[in-house]
Amino acid sequence: MSTTNATSTGNDSHGDGHHDVSYLHPKGPLWVTLWDWATTIDHKKIGVMYMFATTFMFFLGGVFALAVRAELFMPTQVNEAGEIVGQLFANNIYNRMFTLHGVVMVFLFIIPAIPAAFGNFLLPLMLGAKDVAFPRLNLLSWYVYLLGAGVAIIALLGGGIDTGWTFYTPYSITGTEMHRQVFLMTMGAFILGFSSIFTGLNFVVTVHKLRAPGMGWFDMPLFVWAIYATSLIQVLATPVLGITVLLLAIEQAFHVGIFDPALGGDPVLFMHFFWFYSHPAVYIMILPGMGIMSELIAVHARKRIFGYKAIAFSSLGIAAVSFIVWGHHLFTAQTAMANAIFSALTFFVAIPSAIKVFNWVATLYKSGIVFNTPMLYALGFMFTFTIGGVTGLFLATIATDINLHDTYFVVAHFHYVMMGGAGIALFGGMHHWWPKMFGKMYNEKAGIAGFIFVFIGFNTTFFIQFLMGSQGMPRRYATYVPEFTIYHQISTVGSWLLLIGFLIHLFNFIASLRNGKPAPRNPWGGLTLEWTTDAPPIEHNFHHEPVIHHGPYDFEDVVPPFCDEKDYPLPAPLKPSDKKH
Amino acid sequence: MTTASPTSSKPLYHETYKHQEHWRNNEDEFEGAKLGVWLFLTTEILLFSGMFCGYAILRFFYLDDFTAASSHYLNWKIGALNTGVLLISSFTVAMSVRASQLNKQGQLMINLLISAICGVIFLVVKLGWEYGPKIEKGELPGAMFAYGGHAGEYIPSTSDPVFLSIYWVATAIHGFHVLIGVVLLLWLAWRAGKKHFGPKHYTAVENVGLYWHLVDLVWIFLFPLLYLV
Ligand code: HEM
Ligand SMILES: [Cu+2]
């Protein structure tokens, strides 16, 4: 241990006995341990449970996605003999497949995945706290998530819904045949909203009140800034989704007619309500990913992050602007004046997003990049997220959007942002913090192999969809004109590559849990507080309350705690002649 | 009866209250809880603002019909009565916070109970004098609307069901909040009976009080929008 390690966490050999065991240490026989996990208020355990649940949801949503892609491998046609060929499912089954895919991926996977899993596990550790502000509320939020997921899955088993994940009225009230399932699904979304609000509220108070002594706002890791901005959006936007889906459920049950034009209601009102939440929600998905990015880039390039404050404030900037751009989803349903205003405002979101990307690139400049799985994911993110973001500008331009609206161009765009942005960052972060979470290393070669499949598979699946979309291939159709066949086939093959990549990761993680090498406390040489405690952390997180003596990215001045000076040498001091500026 | 008698050997809960383990001190815990409740109240405001927004748009569509429907279906006197009841309860809730700060246990209990009773009166008036007769007369929202009107008196317009939708949904969601508030107030009274609150520890009284004021405030907006304009 180097002398420059200033955090006060000693090695061990002291403390009050039983509290010093790993949080993963079983409490007794199986059922005792299970009961302990089921009733735990430890943020680490809750985070890990969320991680398993959301990973399960990712694979569930993935099954539907593969089904959708399989159906699209061939266009449905009638041959000379009058037989239908190229069809795997009936059209109405297809509609349910893509809807369930969207609902599961959005509400059950990507929205809770990073904040609830990584946020829960890391936020108190990074702040040097013992837990989140309201541990019991945290456990409640986990059970509310399970309840909401359960209700959604009942709707799914009951036949699923075919409205698209946007539940647009009036189709979702009067058009669809799946009334009971739509009612259940919207109630599920309502319940899930509470879980999201509780988590966000908890994190905001935690950041305000539980920072370690000496940790000012600008000593917080950028992941914490990102989670903080995300939590504000969760608290401020989710209630509007709540009232929207609640009204929709009431519509289903009692036909009150607020959104039903046949009864004098206004369906466009529903679209506004829905997107008032769901646009900010895309930042609930991407902001935590951006937070992970800042950590990955700085740690695996061993360099002070460039533009710390710019990155921190751009998170808040994105959160603020995200509330006033929802109208870009309604360019075909509102006045020209409103279109112009929403279009102009939408362009502003590009600014803080670009600030982040430029700062990450500047951080990499002349740094010591290590090409391991987390770093490769970080580099991949910059590529795919930039494509997703820039194509968003095409869609924010009214003249082009009128043509691209509801085509595969949109599908490609949001997958480049959600999957290529949030998803890729999530997988990078999972590799980065895996050793801390479970105290085991994963196999680096397998990790890199998985990355290569995911990255190539992702771009194969979705890049071609930009081309299809710009040539007029509409979304949400079970078939297409034969001219598009080759495009769809390339895309479907890409989805198989993605599957291979994820299976490699999955088996790699399982292998690591079963017989991975024990992880050191600080395998990557990070400077944030989570690296100063044991791997896996002890129940109360730290042996002693940490005190802050250096910033989270001071790689030039500090040898990372629990790392050898040989591996992390400080740069040679500047010559006096160089010190001028 | 003000404080615990000095002779009693067992110190009272509120005098020795110690914060949960992950907080640094009682003040931080109190402040944190209060911040959390303020954030929660923000979400409540946003939830109701969805309702208000829907009201504004639909009223804009059917301006004259809404005005006529409002004065025909809703009796402003009942609304005013309930407004008064809620204002009184807001006052007594504020008084109960004051009473715990001053360690006046008797006053605390009385004020909590009056507040809870006011909440119950509000609900009884709402259910008995408004919802009940409305259901009988068929003044129901949307597709359930079955009001015939009396011959020659008032002819329902096609947008009346929409007005009633807003009325029913908004007041039902609000009434549900009142119901929760009553339960919380009774819970506080029960804890006050066990001498849980005093100058050093009254987090729950403070926070339920904040919630109750919000429920009140929402009604202060609903009343004129639905009954008066
Ligand atoms: C981060 C993970 C993902 C998220 C958050 C996500 C989200 C979404 C959303 C919101 C939709 C729109 C659903 C609708 O139109 O109602 C959608 C559609 C779709 N997704 Fe994904 N998705 C993810 C991963 C994938 C993967 C891995 C694949 C393919 C292997 C895929 C293929 C599709 C397809 C084919 C559609 C249907 C497009 C249409 O017909 O409109 N998605 N996805
Ligand atoms: Cu948007």
Side-chain angles (χ1 to χ4, degrees):
Chain A
M1 224 179 95
S2 75
T3 44
T4 38
N5 165 30
T7 44
S8 66
T9 318
N11 248 338
D12 12 53
S13 74
H14 49 62
D16 31 19
H18 63 280
H19 281 330
D20 278 1
V21 302
S22 145
Y23 80 102
L24 290 175
H25 192 78
K27 280 275 184 309
L30 185 66
W31 66 271
V32 179
T33 307
L34 280 181
W35 181 249
D36 172 57
W37 276 77
T39 56
T40 184
I41 52 170
D42 181 342
H43 67 99
K44 300 184 287 301
K45 288 183 182 166
I46 295 175
V48 167
M49 291 193 289
Y50 264 119
M51 198 169 98
F52 284 111
T54 50
T55 305
F56 172 78
M57 292 305 171
F58 177 70
F59 279 93
L60 180 65
V63 169
F64 292 122
L66 288 168
V68 166
R69 287 280 9 131
E71 163 66 38
L72 294 174
F73 194 76
M74 293 288 278
T76 308
Q77 282 170 310
V78 181
N79 67 7
E80 290 97 59
E83 300 155 329
I84 297 176
V85 291
Q87 191 180 39
L88 281 183
F89 322 111
N91 292 350
N92 60 351
I93 303 283
Y94 177 85
N95 292 349
R96 292 182 212 171
M97 291 291 176
F98 77 70
T99 304
L100 294 175
H101 164 68
V103 170
V104 171
M105 285 296 190
V106 169
F107 293 111
L108 294 170
F109 166 61
I110 198 93
I111 288 181
I114 305 184
F118 288 88
N120 255 322
F121 191 91
L122 292 168
L123 195 70
L125 287 173
M126 286 183 159
L127 293 172
K130 284 198 189 118
D131 209 320
V132 292
F134 311 117
R136 276 174 296 182
L137 185 67
N138 206 14
L139 182 65
L140 178 66
S141 130
W142 159 243
Y143 279 109
V144 172
Y145 171 79
L146 283 189
L147 179 69
V151 172
I153 286 182
I154 292 174
L156 193 159
L157 295 177
I161 62 170
D162 59 357
T163 60
W165 76 282
T166 44
F167 311 126
Y168 269 11
T169 54
Y171 182 76
S172 58
I173 311 169
T174 47
T176 176
E177 282 162 13
M178 323 296 293
H179 292 287
R180 221 174 299 136
Q181 289 84 335
V182 172
F183 176 77
L184 279 176
M185 197 58 98
T186 43
M187 280 319 281
F190 180 68
I191 297 169
L192 288 167
F194 277 97
S195 166
S196 192
I197 289 176
F198 292 157
T199 305
L201 188 153
N202 218 335
F203 288 174
V204 172
V205 179
T206 309
V207 171
H208 274 271
K209 296 284 172 198
L210 286 175
R211 298 193 305 274
M215 185 184 276
W217 282 86
F218 297 112
D219 301 320
M220 297 194 312
L222 286 166
F223 178 72
V224 175
W225 272 102
I227 289 286
Y228 179 71
T230 310
S231 303
L232 287 178
I233 306 182
Q234 282 178 297
V235 170
L236 296 179
T238 317
V240 179
L241 175 77
I243 188 75
T244 311
V245 289
L246 183 64
L247 287 176
L248 190 60
I250 294 176
E251 286 268 14
Q252 270 294 346
F254 302 110
H255 294 284
V256 295
I258 291 176
F259 298 132
D260 185 354
L263 295 171
D266 182 10
V268 179
L269 186 64
F270 178 86
M271 293 162 134
H272 279 283
F273 277 5
F274 183 83
W275 287 108
F276 183 84
Y277 166 77
S278 291
H279 185 81
V282 310
Y283 294 97
I284 298 180
M285 305 173 197
I286 193 69
L287 270 174
M290 292 169 156
I292 291 183
M293 275 296 292
S294 301
E295 302 299 322
L296 299 187
I297 295 272
V299 172
H300 296 280
R302 312 231 160 101
K303 186 142 165 270
R304 178 192 298 273
I305 195 102
F306 186 87
Y308 173 95
K309 283 197 182 166
I311 296 182
F313 283 124
S314 62
S315 290
L316 294 183
I318 288 177
V321 181
S322 74
F323 279 98
I324 47 176
V325 300
W326 79 91
H328 61 217
H329 296 276
L330 299 131
F331 281 157
T332 53
Q334 61 195 359
T335 61
M337 185 59 168
N339 276 357
I341 294 172
F342 279 120
S343 170
L345 288 173
T346 302
F347 286 117
F348 278 103
V349 192
I351 299 171
S353 310
I355 287 179
K356 284 179 191 277
V357 175
F358 287 130
N359 279 311
W360 294 325
V361 175
T363 308
L364 291 177
Y365 179 67
K366 285 193 171 174
S367 67
I369 300 180
V370 182
F371 288 100
N372 51 18
T373 316
M375 186 47 142
L376 286 172
Y377 268 111
L379 298 175
F381 177 101
M382 292 212 266
F383 182 80
T384 47
F385 175 72
T386 306
I387 294 180
V390 169
T391 51
L393 295 179
F394 299 10
L395 297 172
T397 313
I398 304 166
T400 42
D401 184 70
I402 295 299
N403 293 300
L404 296 173
H405 181 70
D406 265 349
T407 67
Y408 261 77
F409 192 92
V410 175
V411 176
H413 156 70
F414 66 61
H415 280 92
Y416 263 86
V417 185
M418 292 202 250
M419 168 95 185
I424 294 256
L426 173 87
F427 307 131
M430 216 159 193
H431 286 88
H432 182 70
W433 282 294
W434 184 267
K436 180 57 61 179
M437 285 179 152
F438 299 104
K440 299 276 180 67
M441 297 305 283
Y442 60 87
N443 181 319
E444 195 65 68
K445 289 215 182 78
I448 292 175
F451 165 78
I452 291 173
F453 273 99
V454 170
F455 189 74
I456 295 179
F458 172 76
N459 285 294
T460 314
T461 310
F462 292 107
F463 196 83
I464 199 91
Q465 297 184 357
F466 284 122
L467 307 183
M468 271 194 256
S470 58
Q471 292 171 30
M473 170 73 213
R475 73 192 270 208
R476 296 183 175 175
Y477 278 79
T479 185
Y480 45 85
V481 289
E483 283 80 355
F484 286 117
T485 309
I486 184 69
Y487 295 78
H488 276 293
Q489 292 186 341
I490 292 174
S491 184
T492 302
V493 171
S495 73
W496 299 336
L497 296 179
L498 266 174
L499 176 69
I500 297 175
F502 289 125
L503 289 180
I504 294 177
H505 282 327
L506 187 68
F507 288 121
N508 194 18
F509 282 140
I510 293 175
S512 152
L513 282 183
R514 298 188 59 175
N515 41 27
K517 268 196 304 180
R521 286 186 185 197
N522 195 356
W524 323 118
L527 288 180
T528 40
L529 288 175
E530 79 270 26
W531 303 111
T532 63
T533 186
D534 297 5
I538 56 169
E539 285 207 336
H540 284 210
N541 291 352
F542 300 96
H543 295 278
H544 296 290
E545 183 170 54
V547 180
I548 311 300
H549 294 290
H550 57 71
Y553 307 108
D554 289 347
F555 292 97
E556 286 95 334
D557 313 324
V558 201
V559 172
F562 308 106
C563 287
D564 198 323
E565 206 157 346
K566 285 199 296 286
D567 301 332
Y568 298 89
L570 293 177
L574 288 180
K575 284 184 255 125
S577 54
D578 288 347
K579 267 191 177 160
K580 280 275 141 44
H581 18 247
Chain B
M1 186 195 105
T2 50
T3 37
S5 79
T7 49
S8 92
S9 55
K10 204 164 136 253
L12 291 174
Y13 176 86
H14 69 83
E15 289 167 342
T16 55
Y17 176 78
K18 173 119 185 339
H19 55 88
Q20 288 171 49
E21 208 186 342
H22 61 289
W23 290 97
R24 288 196 193 87
N25 50 49
N26 284 5
E27 285 84 71
D28 273 8
E29 189 186 56
F30 178 74
E31 295 292 322
K34 209 161 143 178
L35 178 59
V37 169
W38 274 108
L39 287 169
F40 173 70
L41 296 186
T42 316
T43 69
E44 290 278 17
I45 291 175
L46 284 157
L47 183 103
F48 279 106
S49 63
M51 280 312 311
F52 286 123
C53 206
Y55 170 85
I57 302 274
L58 291 171
R59 187 185 173 82
F60 175 75
F61 283 172
Y62 310 112
L63 194 55
D64 296 336
D65 291 350
F66 263 44
T67 316
S70 159
S71 55
H72 178 71
Y73 292 107
L74 300 181
N75 182 348
W76 68 268
K77 286 177 194 140
I78 300 181
L81 171 68
N82 262 345
T83 311
V85 169
L86 280 192
L87 282 177
I88 294 173
S89 72
S90 238
F91 174 73
T92 51
V93 157
M95 287 304 288
S96 63
V97 176
R98 191 82 197 119
S100 19
Q101 286 169 343
L102 299 175
N103 208 2
K104 298 209 169 115
Q105 298 291 343
Q107 271 191 27
L108 171 62
M109 182 59 106
I110 289 173
N111 278 307
L112 287 175
L113 287 179
I114 295 180
S115 315
I117 289 169
C118 283
V120 173
I121 294 178
F122 179 93
L123 289 174
V124 169
V125 169
K126 181 110 263 168
L127 291 175
W129 291 6
E130 278 197 7
Y131 284 3
K134 283 207 158 30
I135 293 173
E136 247 161 55
K137 284 190 267 176
E139 297 173 1
L140 291 168
M144 295 186 292
F145 183 77
Y147 179 66
H150 307 292
E153 241 182 45
Y154 175 86
I155 302 136
S157 86
T158 47
S159 54
D160 281 12
V162 183
F163 175 79
L164 288 171
S165 297
I166 296 275
Y167 161 80
W168 275 91
V169 176
T171 55
I173 296 178
H174 177 262
F176 181 67
H177 280 79
V178 175
L179 182 65
I180 293 190
V182 170
V183 173
L184 289 174
L185 286 167
L186 291 175
W187 170 70
L188 285 186
W190 177 70
R191 287 188 63 188
K194 303 202 320 183
K195 304 282 180 292
H196 272 197
F197 306 118
K200 286 208 189 111
H201 182 67
Y202 57 95
T203 316
V205 187
E206 169 93 14
N207 288 335
V208 172
L210 286 175
Y211 170 81
W212 190 257
H213 291 316
L214 180 97
V215 172
D216 219 12
L217 189 72
V218 170
W219 179 255
I220 300 291
F221 280 94
L222 281 180
F223 170 58
L225 288 180
L226 291 175
Y227 292 75
L228 298 183
V229 294

